[in-house]
Amino acid sequence: MIVAVLSVCVCIVAIEYGVRVTEAKYFEPFNVTYDHRALILGANRRILISAGIHYPRATPEMWPDLIAKSKEGGADVIETYVFWNGHEPEKGQYNFEGRYDLVKFVKLAASNGLYFFLRIGPYACAEWNFGGFPVWLRDIPGIEFRTDNAPFKEEMKRFVSKVVNLMRDEMLFSWQGGPIILLQIENEYGNIESSYGRGGKEYVKWAARMALSLGAGVPWVMCRQQDAPYDIIDTCNAYYCDGFKPNSRNKPTMWTENWDGWYTQWGERLPHRPVEDLAFAVARFYQRGGIFQNYYMYFGGTNFGRTAGGPLQITSYDYDAPIDEYGLLHEPKWGHLKDLHAALKLCEPALVVTDSPTYIKLGPKQEAHVYQANVHPEGLNLSLFESPSICSAFLANIDERKEATVTFRGQRYIIPPWSVSILPDCRNTAFNTAKVRAQTSVKLIDSDLPTISNIFPAQQLRHHTGIYYISKSWMTTKEPLKIWSKSSFTVEGIWEHLNVTKDQSDYLWYSTRIYVSDSDILFWKENDVHPKLTIDGVRDILRVFVNGQLIGNFVGDWIKVVQTLQFLPGYNDLTLLTQTVGLQNYGAFLEKDGAGIRGTIKITGFENGDINLSKSLWTYQVGLQGEFLKFYSEENENSDWVELTPDAIPSTFTWYKTYFDVPGGTDPVALDLKSMGKGQAWVNGHHIGRYWTRVSPKSGCEKVCDYRGAYNSDKCSTNCGKPTQTLYHVPRSWLRASNNLLVILEETGGNPLGISVKLHSSSIICARVSESNYPPLQKWVNADLIGEEVSANNMIPEMHLHCQEGHTISSVTFASFGTPGGSCQNFSRGDCHAPSSMSIVSQACKGKRNCSIKISETVFGGDPCPGVVKTLSVEARCTSPLSAGFIQDAVSSF
């Protein structure tokens, strides 16, 4: 059996590497084994819920809160990729500090009692620059990525060994008393394996052998890898994985990436996955035999600096995750999933011991899966179950439009469309995926938010529509639009962008001289034609300059360029600037993908024929002068800075800087850059990332998001006709109370006077809970639901409201117990309304961070409409005393 083999393997590992397996740091040492129905942690058979958090997409100061919120939300495991290019930016020079302190991150998870799933790869994809590969890797002679290639395999083994050895030295594997229970080698290679032919198949076998040879002592997985070898677990990545089965019945059914949102590119709409559908997908997975599921992402975070992948990935990696980019709970997604997880944990004793569930067809599109066992296996907490038989059931209605009434074990159940009801005891419904009782939190950051941008509060602030903008004390300096450094070089022909820049900068200058005779000018005039620059392919951005003047911009993924040129008689400077906006992060043959200019480049329309520039002499310059001189640094003493005057705006390729203060408290901080064009931003020397006010299409957003039916990334999109991103996260740990240096590199001509600093908070909270809702899951945990004395039907539903840390409920703006209509921020009273609604809710909640109200006519002084199922709808405001005080001080000074 696999269990026995792996147990022996762990013992051999301990002996071979001389590790002290008897000393536990965070857990009592345990082996990790598995069968087709459970992961077995020591003697405990488990189904597990995992939260994906990428450590470099947050600051170390954010990590403890993110991990704590993941645990509170019901996660058992923290998952992350390992980012090779962050850890080894130069070959042999390692970085495991700051945002890349992987050991600290793993230990924080362990200190919270959570397990860890480390996906080493080392290819990550993840919408991360170059998929996580260091760019220097492509310069190794003879290398081909991710195939049966000796140079690549040597480098891959060296880095994977480095990570495994580091984890072992820090005693972080489960058999050492650490949290790491799973590792991953490679990543979604099955998607591209066929591109490599036989070399791909051999590479998969080699990767598996190499991983197992490292002696990690825990199971390894390969995601999206149907031909994973026998001793590697193949897993699923998708929106839905309930139909997935591994390639051996001896392996558990695992879902390594449940895409709870999607990534975003500049100029695109924002994806949104409804929590009702997400919960449906998770419940269906466990209903049909799943044992491990990881949310990709549980917290998405931010692509700080130049870490965003390509093509054109935005700086935010919010991903519509349960915890938003700033570390705040994304409600109702977080709360509804928390309830789902609690319901699943109630079913765990039955799920992990039933060899296969009993399938019952309840209707044309309705079905039940029943997990029942008559024995109590060791390693399970069965305190809830006094009967010698444990039983849990899932009732599914996969009809996309209609609710269904079904009969199960002699009882009738109403199941909404596209939903699953979970019955931990095979009788009482604890949870339905379509019935959301968690609150909705509305995050406000505009003029109705009770905060202001405070830039030099002693100076006069220009007030416009309730927002306080930066109005003066900006300094500026121009970036030279030419070859500017002695490090430039001249060679024949067009060189590929990355071969020159080594990704040390987004920018590469190419410059050549074109001679135009008087006869050429006359030829163009007489024939009413103009010369044109043509390039076979360009990626991501090309800017064309003639004699220092910008005349053309092109954006795309290997697009053809045709640009009309205006030359003067004599010599003309033709300068091209190619820019990357994140290196390609997905696909086969990444090392050959490249950037910049591809193919033939020529000028057409000359009297004597076309000029082929592909073999001309070109002078190359990497980067911008301001990058080289570190204009963004606090130590920079460039003497060319001058005070900005309004008549100097707008201006292309211009640097700006100022200083600003921020309010106290813990609310996350954002820069609002909607007045800018495209560029990069730094605060106190920290690179916030790229910004771009590229506008999304006006069409494609639905007025009403219908959760029913299969999700895809175009369904339920938002933000149509608006810039894809205008707010940029500035972590609190990068800020001081005052005199924070803000440096902006603006490429296209934005207005820095419109920049403001805003706080990000969940200012409005709403909830809607009916008498027909199920009782809180905590009641199931605390009660004996199998006995006759207490049943779920006798438990009263409750509404729970909570503000983020540091905030309290300052007012209740709507409350109605009866038949209220509408939705959050648009509630309305119905024909039935309890007059005491507002006073009851206000008394229970005002001045508190958390409150709860029972959904009962007794609480509201009687039944306002007998015979009608009543609902309580509430909208309330959360405010921070610190923010309110800051506003008052700033307004007074104004």
Side-chain angles (χ1 to χ4, degrees), residues 142-195:
I143 199 165
E144 293 181 54
F145 292 5
R146 304 176 75 193
T147 189
D148 190 19
N149 173 266
F152 179 76
K153 291 192 295 184
E154 179 181 347
E155 294 299 327
M156 175 174 168
K157 181 177 181 178
R158 183 179 58 80
F159 181 73
V160 174
S161 300
K162 173 77 175 180
V163 175
V164 170
N165 291 339
L166 179 62
M167 297 301 107
R168 184 190 297 111
D169 291 345
E170 294 289 338
M171 305 286 285
L172 293 176
F173 288 112
S174 64
W175 51 274
Q176 299 173 294
I180 299 175
I181 60 171
L182 292 165
L183 297 171
Q184 178 176 301
I185 194 69
E186 248 301 329
N187 185 52
E188 294 187 336
Y189 188 70
N191 293 355
I192 63 167
E193 181 179 338
S194 61
S195 300

Short mmCIF file of all heavy atoms in Angstrom, two decimals, residues 142-195:
data_model
loop_
_atom_site.label_atom_id
_atom_site.label_comp_id
_atom_site.label_asym_id
_atom_site.label_seq_id
_atom_site.Cartn_x
_atom_site.Cartn_y
_atom_site.Cartn_z
N GLY A 142 22.88 26.85 -24.78
CA GLY A 142 22.22 25.59 -25.10
C GLY A 142 20.96 25.30 -24.31
O GLY A 142 20.39 24.20 -24.43
N ILE A 143 20.48 26.25 -23.53
CA ILE A 143 19.35 25.95 -22.65
C ILE A 143 18.03 25.98 -23.39
O ILE A 143 17.81 26.79 -24.30
CB ILE A 143 19.31 26.92 -21.45
CG1 ILE A 143 18.45 26.34 -20.31
CG2 ILE A 143 18.77 28.30 -21.86
CD1 ILE A 143 18.65 27.02 -18.98
N GLU A 144 17.15 25.06 -23.05
CA GLU A 144 15.75 25.05 -23.45
C GLU A 144 14.94 24.77 -22.20
O GLU A 144 15.17 23.77 -21.51
CB GLU A 144 15.47 23.97 -24.50
CG GLU A 144 16.13 24.22 -25.84
CD GLU A 144 15.78 23.13 -26.85
OE1 GLU A 144 14.58 22.88 -27.08
OE2 GLU A 144 16.72 22.52 -27.38
N PHE A 145 13.99 25.64 -21.90
CA PHE A 145 13.22 25.51 -20.66
C PHE A 145 12.25 24.34 -20.73
O PHE A 145 11.67 24.03 -21.77
CB PHE A 145 12.40 26.79 -20.41
CG PHE A 145 13.19 28.01 -20.07
CD1 PHE A 145 14.58 28.02 -20.09
CD2 PHE A 145 12.55 29.20 -19.71
CE1 PHE A 145 15.30 29.17 -19.80
CE2 PHE A 145 13.25 30.35 -19.41
CZ PHE A 145 14.63 30.33 -19.45
N ARG A 146 12.10 23.68 -19.60
CA ARG A 146 11.00 22.75 -19.34
C ARG A 146 10.93 21.61 -20.37
O ARG A 146 9.86 21.26 -20.86
CB ARG A 146 9.67 23.50 -19.26
CG ARG A 146 9.67 24.62 -18.23
CD ARG A 146 8.38 25.40 -18.24
NE ARG A 146 7.29 24.65 -17.61
CZ ARG A 146 6.01 24.98 -17.70
NH1 ARG A 146 5.65 26.03 -18.43
NH2 ARG A 146 5.09 24.26 -17.09
N THR A 147 12.05 21.03 -20.66
CA THR A 147 12.09 19.85 -21.52
C THR A 147 13.32 19.04 -21.14
O THR A 147 14.06 19.41 -20.21
CB THR A 147 12.10 20.25 -23.01
OG1 THR A 147 11.94 19.07 -23.81
CG2 THR A 147 13.36 20.99 -23.40
N ASP A 148 13.55 17.97 -21.85
CA ASP A 148 14.67 17.08 -21.53
C ASP A 148 15.97 17.71 -22.02
O ASP A 148 16.58 17.26 -22.99
CB ASP A 148 14.43 15.71 -22.19
CG ASP A 148 15.43 14.66 -21.72
OD1 ASP A 148 16.04 14.88 -20.65
OD2 ASP A 148 15.61 13.65 -22.42
N ASN A 149 16.38 18.75 -21.32
CA ASN A 149 17.52 19.56 -21.69
C ASN A 149 18.47 19.64 -20.50
O ASN A 149 18.09 20.10 -19.42
CB ASN A 149 17.04 20.95 -22.11
CG ASN A 149 18.16 21.94 -22.34
OD1 ASN A 149 18.54 22.68 -21.45
ND2 ASN A 149 18.71 21.93 -23.55
N ALA A 150 19.71 19.19 -20.68
CA ALA A 150 20.65 19.07 -19.56
C ALA A 150 20.91 20.40 -18.86
O ALA A 150 20.88 20.46 -17.62
CB ALA A 150 21.94 18.43 -20.04
N PRO A 151 21.20 21.50 -19.56
CA PRO A 151 21.46 22.76 -18.84
C PRO A 151 20.26 23.21 -18.00
O PRO A 151 20.44 23.68 -16.86
CB PRO A 151 21.75 23.76 -19.97
CG PRO A 151 22.24 22.93 -21.11
CD PRO A 151 21.46 21.65 -21.02
N PHE A 152 19.05 23.06 -18.54
CA PHE A 152 17.88 23.47 -17.75
C PHE A 152 17.69 22.57 -16.55
O PHE A 152 17.43 23.06 -15.43
CB PHE A 152 16.62 23.46 -18.61
CG PHE A 152 15.38 23.84 -17.84
CD1 PHE A 152 15.14 25.17 -17.51
CD2 PHE A 152 14.48 22.88 -17.40
CE1 PHE A 152 14.02 25.53 -16.77
CE2 PHE A 152 13.36 23.23 -16.66
CZ PHE A 152 13.14 24.56 -16.35
N LYS A 153 17.81 21.28 -16.75
CA LYS A 153 17.59 20.34 -15.63
C LYS A 153 18.61 20.56 -14.52
O LYS A 153 18.28 20.46 -13.34
CB LYS A 153 17.63 18.91 -16.15
CG LYS A 153 16.45 18.53 -17.04
CD LYS A 153 16.36 17.04 -17.31
CE LYS A 153 17.52 16.52 -18.09
NZ LYS A 153 17.36 15.08 -18.41
N GLU A 154 19.83 20.91 -14.91
CA GLU A 154 20.86 21.18 -13.90
C GLU A 154 20.48 22.38 -13.04
O GLU A 154 20.59 22.34 -11.81
CB GLU A 154 22.20 21.41 -14.59
CG GLU A 154 23.34 21.72 -13.62
CD GLU A 154 24.65 21.99 -14.33
OE1 GLU A 154 24.74 21.69 -15.54
OE2 GLU A 154 25.59 22.50 -13.68
N GLU A 155 20.05 23.45 -13.70
CA GLU A 155 19.68 24.65 -12.96
C GLU A 155 18.42 24.44 -12.13
O GLU A 155 18.31 24.90 -11.00
CB GLU A 155 19.48 25.83 -13.92
CG GLU A 155 20.74 26.28 -14.62
CD GLU A 155 21.80 26.77 -13.65
OE1 GLU A 155 21.45 27.34 -12.59
OE2 GLU A 155 23.00 26.58 -13.93
N MET A 156 17.45 23.74 -12.71
CA MET A 156 16.20 23.47 -11.99
C MET A 156 16.47 22.64 -10.74
O MET A 156 15.98 22.96 -9.65
CB MET A 156 15.22 22.75 -12.91
CG MET A 156 13.94 22.31 -12.23
SD MET A 156 12.78 21.63 -13.44
CE MET A 156 11.56 20.86 -12.35
N LYS A 157 17.26 21.58 -10.88
CA LYS A 157 17.55 20.74 -9.71
C LYS A 157 18.30 21.53 -8.65
O LYS A 157 18.03 21.39 -7.45
CB LYS A 157 18.37 19.52 -10.13
CG LYS A 157 18.68 18.58 -8.97
CD LYS A 157 19.43 17.33 -9.41
CE LYS A 157 19.69 16.43 -8.21
NZ LYS A 157 20.38 15.18 -8.60
N ARG A 158 19.22 22.38 -9.08
CA ARG A 158 19.99 23.17 -8.12
C ARG A 158 19.08 24.06 -7.28
O ARG A 158 19.22 24.13 -6.05
CB ARG A 158 21.04 24.00 -8.86
CG ARG A 158 21.96 24.82 -7.96
CD ARG A 158 22.97 25.59 -8.79
NE ARG A 158 22.33 26.49 -9.74
CZ ARG A 158 21.83 27.69 -9.42
NH1 ARG A 158 21.90 28.13 -8.17
NH2 ARG A 158 21.28 28.44 -10.35
N PHE A 159 18.12 24.74 -7.92
CA PHE A 159 17.24 25.64 -7.16
C PHE A 159 16.24 24.87 -6.32
O PHE A 159 16.01 25.22 -5.15
CB PHE A 159 16.50 26.60 -8.09
CG PHE A 159 15.62 27.55 -7.34
CD1 PHE A 159 16.16 28.59 -6.62
CD2 PHE A 159 14.24 27.38 -7.33
CE1 PHE A 159 15.35 29.46 -5.90
CE2 PHE A 159 13.42 28.25 -6.61
CZ PHE A 159 13.98 29.29 -5.89
N VAL A 160 15.63 23.83 -6.87
CA VAL A 160 14.67 23.05 -6.09
C VAL A 160 15.37 22.44 -4.87
O VAL A 160 14.83 22.44 -3.76
CB VAL A 160 14.01 21.96 -6.95
CG1 VAL A 160 13.13 21.05 -6.10
CG2 VAL A 160 13.19 22.59 -8.07
N SER A 161 16.59 21.95 -5.06
CA SER A 161 17.36 21.40 -3.93
C SER A 161 17.63 22.47 -2.89
O SER A 161 17.56 22.21 -1.68
CB SER A 161 18.69 20.82 -4.43
OG SER A 161 18.48 19.79 -5.36
N LYS A 162 17.93 23.67 -3.36
CA LYS A 162 18.19 24.78 -2.44
C LYS A 162 16.98 25.01 -1.53
O LYS A 162 17.13 25.18 -0.30
CB LYS A 162 18.48 26.05 -3.25
CG LYS A 162 18.61 27.33 -2.44
CD LYS A 162 19.93 27.42 -1.73
CE LYS A 162 20.10 28.76 -1.02
NZ LYS A 162 21.39 28.85 -0.31
N VAL A 163 15.79 25.01 -2.11
CA VAL A 163 14.59 25.28 -1.32
C VAL A 163 14.29 24.12 -0.37
O VAL A 163 14.00 24.33 0.81
CB VAL A 163 13.39 25.55 -2.25
CG1 VAL A 163 12.11 25.71 -1.43
CG2 VAL A 163 13.63 26.79 -3.08
N VAL A 164 14.37 22.89 -0.88
CA VAL A 164 14.09 21.73 -0.03
C VAL A 164 15.09 21.67 1.13
O VAL A 164 14.71 21.44 2.29
CB VAL A 164 14.13 20.43 -0.85
CG1 VAL A 164 14.10 19.20 0.07
CG2 VAL A 164 12.95 20.38 -1.82
N ASN A 165 16.36 21.90 0.84
CA ASN A 165 17.37 21.85 1.90
C ASN A 165 17.14 22.96 2.93
O ASN A 165 17.35 22.76 4.14
CB ASN A 165 18.76 21.98 1.30
CG ASN A 165 19.17 20.76 0.49
OD1 ASN A 165 18.61 19.67 0.69
ND2 ASN A 165 20.11 20.92 -0.42
N LEU A 166 16.73 24.13 2.46
CA LEU A 166 16.46 25.23 3.38
C LEU A 166 15.31 24.86 4.32
O LEU A 166 15.38 25.11 5.54
CB LEU A 166 16.11 26.48 2.59
CG LEU A 166 15.76 27.74 3.40
CD1 LEU A 166 16.93 28.18 4.26
CD2 LEU A 166 15.32 28.87 2.47
N MET A 167 14.25 24.29 3.79
CA MET A 167 13.12 23.89 4.62
C MET A 167 13.53 22.80 5.61
O MET A 167 13.12 22.82 6.78
CB MET A 167 11.97 23.40 3.75
CG MET A 167 11.38 24.43 2.79
SD MET A 167 10.72 25.91 3.59
CE MET A 167 11.98 27.11 3.15
N ARG A 168 14.36 21.86 5.15
CA ARG A 168 14.82 20.80 6.05
C ARG A 168 15.71 21.37 7.14
O ARG A 168 15.57 21.01 8.33
CB ARG A 168 15.57 19.72 5.25
CG ARG A 168 16.00 18.53 6.12
CD ARG A 168 16.94 17.59 5.39
NE ARG A 168 16.29 17.00 4.23
CZ ARG A 168 16.60 17.27 2.97
NH1 ARG A 168 17.56 18.14 2.70
NH2 ARG A 168 15.99 16.66 1.99
N ASP A 169 16.63 22.25 6.78
CA ASP A 169 17.53 22.84 7.78
C ASP A 169 16.77 23.63 8.83
O ASP A 169 17.20 23.71 9.99
CB ASP A 169 18.54 23.76 7.09
CG ASP A 169 19.53 23.00 6.22
OD1 ASP A 169 19.62 21.77 6.37
OD2 ASP A 169 20.20 23.64 5.37
N GLU A 170 15.64 24.21 8.43
CA GLU A 170 14.83 24.97 9.37
C GLU A 170 13.80 24.11 10.10
O GLU A 170 12.95 24.63 10.82
CB GLU A 170 14.10 26.10 8.63
CG GLU A 170 15.03 27.17 8.05
CD GLU A 170 15.66 28.04 9.14
OE1 GLU A 170 15.09 28.11 10.25
OE2 GLU A 170 16.71 28.65 8.86
N MET A 171 13.87 22.79 9.91
CA MET A 171 12.98 21.82 10.59
C MET A 171 11.51 22.10 10.28
O MET A 171 10.65 22.12 11.16
CB MET A 171 13.20 21.87 12.10
CG MET A 171 14.63 21.64 12.54
SD MET A 171 15.14 19.92 12.40
CE MET A 171 14.29 19.21 13.81
N LEU A 172 11.19 22.30 9.01
CA LEU A 172 9.84 22.72 8.64
C LEU A 172 9.01 21.65 7.97
O LEU A 172 7.85 21.91 7.63
CB LEU A 172 9.92 23.98 7.74
CG LEU A 172 10.46 25.23 8.43
CD1 LEU A 172 10.59 26.38 7.44
CD2 LEU A 172 9.55 25.64 9.59
N PHE A 173 9.55 20.46 7.77
CA PHE A 173 8.74 19.37 7.24
C PHE A 173 7.97 18.70 8.38
O PHE A 173 8.38 18.73 9.53
CB PHE A 173 9.60 18.35 6.49
CG PHE A 173 10.11 18.87 5.17
CD1 PHE A 173 11.46 19.11 4.97
CD2 PHE A 173 9.22 19.13 4.14
CE1 PHE A 173 11.93 19.60 3.76
CE2 PHE A 173 9.67 19.61 2.92
CZ PHE A 173 11.03 19.86 2.73
N SER A 174 6.85 18.10 8.04
CA SER A 174 5.95 17.55 9.06
C SER A 174 6.65 16.54 9.96
O SER A 174 6.42 16.51 11.17
CB SER A 174 4.74 16.90 8.40
OG SER A 174 5.13 15.79 7.61
N TRP A 175 7.50 15.70 9.37
CA TRP A 175 8.18 14.66 10.16
C TRP A 175 9.23 15.24 11.09
O TRP A 175 9.79 14.54 11.93
CB TRP A 175 8.78 13.59 9.25
CG TRP A 175 9.64 14.13 8.14
CD1 TRP A 175 9.23 14.55 6.92
CD2 TRP A 175 11.06 14.30 8.16
NE1 TRP A 175 10.30 14.98 6.17
CE2 TRP A 175 11.44 14.82 6.89
CE3 TRP A 175 12.05 14.05 9.11
CZ2 TRP A 175 12.76 15.11 6.57
CZ3 TRP A 175 13.38 14.33 8.79
CH2 TRP A 175 13.72 14.86 7.53
N GLN A 176 9.50 16.56 10.93
CA GLN A 176 10.40 17.27 11.84
C GLN A 176 9.64 18.10 12.86
O GLN A 176 10.25 18.82 13.65
CB GLN A 176 11.32 18.20 11.03
CG GLN A 176 12.21 17.52 10.01
CD GLN A 176 12.95 18.52 9.16
OE1 GLN A 176 12.33 19.25 8.38
NE2 GLN A 176 14.26 18.58 9.31
N GLY A 177 8.31 18.04 12.81
CA GLY A 177 7.50 18.89 13.67
C GLY A 177 7.15 20.21 13.02
O GLY A 177 6.68 21.14 13.68
N GLY A 178 7.34 20.31 11.70
CA GLY A 178 7.01 21.52 10.97
C GLY A 178 5.67 21.42 10.27
O GLY A 178 4.98 20.39 10.34
N PRO A 179 5.27 22.45 9.54
CA PRO A 179 3.94 22.49 8.95
C PRO A 179 3.84 21.95 7.52
O PRO A 179 2.74 21.74 7.01
CB PRO A 179 3.62 23.99 8.94
CG PRO A 179 4.95 24.62 8.69
CD PRO A 179 5.96 23.76 9.43
N ILE A 180 4.98 21.75 6.83
CA ILE A 180 4.91 21.41 5.40
C ILE A 180 4.46 19.97 5.22
O ILE A 180 5.13 19.03 5.66
CB ILE A 180 6.26 21.64 4.71
CG1 ILE A 180 6.67 23.10 4.81
CG2 ILE A 180 6.19 21.21 3.24
CD1 ILE A 180 8.05 23.41 4.25
N ILE A 181 3.30 19.82 4.56
CA ILE A 181 2.73 18.49 4.36
C ILE A 181 2.70 18.08 2.89
O ILE A 181 2.52 16.91 2.58
CB ILE A 181 1.29 18.40 4.93
CG1 ILE A 181 0.37 19.43 4.24
CG2 ILE A 181 1.30 18.59 6.45
CD1 ILE A 181 -1.10 19.25 4.59
N LEU A 182 2.89 19.05 1.99
CA LEU A 182 2.83 18.77 0.56
C LEU A 182 3.82 19.66 -0.18
O LEU A 182 4.05 20.80 0.22
CB LEU A 182 1.43 19.04 -0.01
CG LEU A 182 0.27 18.13 0.43
CD1 LEU A 182 -1.06 18.78 0.05
CD2 LEU A 182 0.40 16.75 -0.20
N LEU A 183 4.37 19.13 -1.28
CA LEU A 183 5.23 19.89 -2.16
C LEU A 183 4.75 19.71 -3.60
O LEU A 183 4.12 18.71 -3.93
CB LEU A 183 6.69 19.41 -2.06
CG LEU A 183 7.39 19.57 -0.71
CD1 LEU A 183 8.73 18.85 -0.73
CD2 LEU A 183 7.61 21.05 -0.39
N GLN A 184 5.08 20.66 -4.44
CA GLN A 184 4.74 20.54 -5.86
C GLN A 184 5.98 20.71 -6.71
O GLN A 184 6.78 21.61 -6.48
CB GLN A 184 3.70 21.58 -6.28
CG GLN A 184 3.36 21.51 -7.77
CD GLN A 184 2.27 22.47 -8.18
OE1 GLN A 184 1.16 22.40 -7.66
NE2 GLN A 184 2.57 23.38 -9.11
N ILE A 185 6.12 19.84 -7.72
CA ILE A 185 7.15 19.98 -8.72
C ILE A 185 6.48 20.29 -10.05
O ILE A 185 5.40 19.77 -10.35
CB ILE A 185 8.02 18.70 -8.82
CG1 ILE A 185 9.30 18.98 -9.60
CG2 ILE A 185 7.25 17.53 -9.39
CD1 ILE A 185 10.27 19.88 -8.88
N GLU A 186 7.10 21.16 -10.84
CA GLU A 186 6.54 21.65 -12.10
C GLU A 186 5.18 22.32 -11.84
O GLU A 186 4.77 22.50 -10.70
CB GLU A 186 6.42 20.56 -13.16
CG GLU A 186 7.37 20.74 -14.35
CD GLU A 186 7.19 22.05 -15.11
OE1 GLU A 186 6.08 22.57 -15.16
OE2 GLU A 186 8.17 22.56 -15.68
N ASN A 187 4.50 22.74 -12.93
CA ASN A 187 3.25 23.47 -12.76
C ASN A 187 2.50 23.51 -14.08
O ASN A 187 2.99 24.11 -15.05
CB ASN A 187 3.52 24.90 -12.27
CG ASN A 187 2.25 25.65 -11.97
OD1 ASN A 187 1.39 25.16 -11.23
ND2 ASN A 187 2.11 26.84 -12.54
N GLU A 188 1.35 22.86 -14.12
CA GLU A 188 0.48 22.86 -15.31
C GLU A 188 1.25 22.50 -16.58
O GLU A 188 0.97 23.00 -17.66
CB GLU A 188 -0.21 24.22 -15.47
CG GLU A 188 -1.19 24.53 -14.35
CD GLU A 188 -2.01 25.79 -14.61
OE1 GLU A 188 -1.55 26.65 -15.38
OE2 GLU A 188 -3.11 25.91 -14.05
N TYR A 189 2.23 21.60 -16.45
CA TYR A 189 3.03 21.23 -17.61
C TYR A 189 2.21 20.45 -18.63
O TYR A 189 2.50 20.52 -19.83
CB TYR A 189 4.24 20.40 -17.17
CG TYR A 189 5.22 20.15 -18.28
CD1 TYR A 189 5.99 21.18 -18.80
CD2 TYR A 189 5.38 18.87 -18.81
CE1 TYR A 189 6.90 20.96 -19.82
CE2 TYR A 189 6.29 18.64 -19.84
CZ TYR A 189 7.04 19.68 -20.34
OH TYR A 189 7.93 19.46 -21.36
N GLY A 190 1.19 19.76 -18.18
CA GLY A 190 0.35 19.01 -19.10
C GLY A 190 -0.29 19.88 -20.17
O GLY A 190 -0.63 19.39 -21.25
N ASN A 191 -0.46 21.17 -19.88
CA ASN A 191 -1.05 22.08 -20.87
C ASN A 191 -0.17 22.25 -22.10
O ASN A 191 -0.67 22.55 -23.19
CB ASN A 191 -1.27 23.46 -20.24
CG ASN A 191 -2.33 23.45 -19.15
OD1 ASN A 191 -2.98 22.44 -18.90
ND2 ASN A 191 -2.50 24.57 -18.49
N ILE A 192 1.14 22.12 -21.92
CA ILE A 192 2.08 22.40 -23.02
C ILE A 192 2.98 21.21 -23.36
O ILE A 192 3.81 21.31 -24.26
CB ILE A 192 2.96 23.63 -22.69
CG1 ILE A 192 3.83 23.34 -21.46
CG2 ILE A 192 2.11 24.87 -22.46
CD1 ILE A 192 4.93 24.35 -21.25
N GLU A 193 2.83 20.12 -22.67
CA GLU A 193 3.75 18.99 -22.83
C GLU A 193 3.86 18.53 -24.29
O GLU A 193 4.95 18.20 -24.78
CB GLU A 193 3.29 17.83 -21.96
CG GLU A 193 4.18 16.61 -22.02
CD GLU A 193 3.71 15.49 -21.11
OE1 GLU A 193 2.97 15.77 -20.14
OE2 GLU A 193 4.07 14.34 -21.38
N SER A 194 2.74 18.52 -25.01
CA SER A 194 2.75 18.03 -26.38
C SER A 194 3.63 18.89 -27.29
O SER A 194 4.11 18.41 -28.33
CB SER A 194 1.33 17.99 -26.94
OG SER A 194 0.75 19.29 -26.96
N SER A 195 3.88 20.14 -26.91
CA SER A 195 4.74 21.01 -27.72
C SER A 195 6.17 20.52 -27.76
O SER A 195 6.93 20.86 -28.68
CB SER A 195 4.72 22.44 -27.16
OG SER A 195 3.41 22.98 -27.17
#
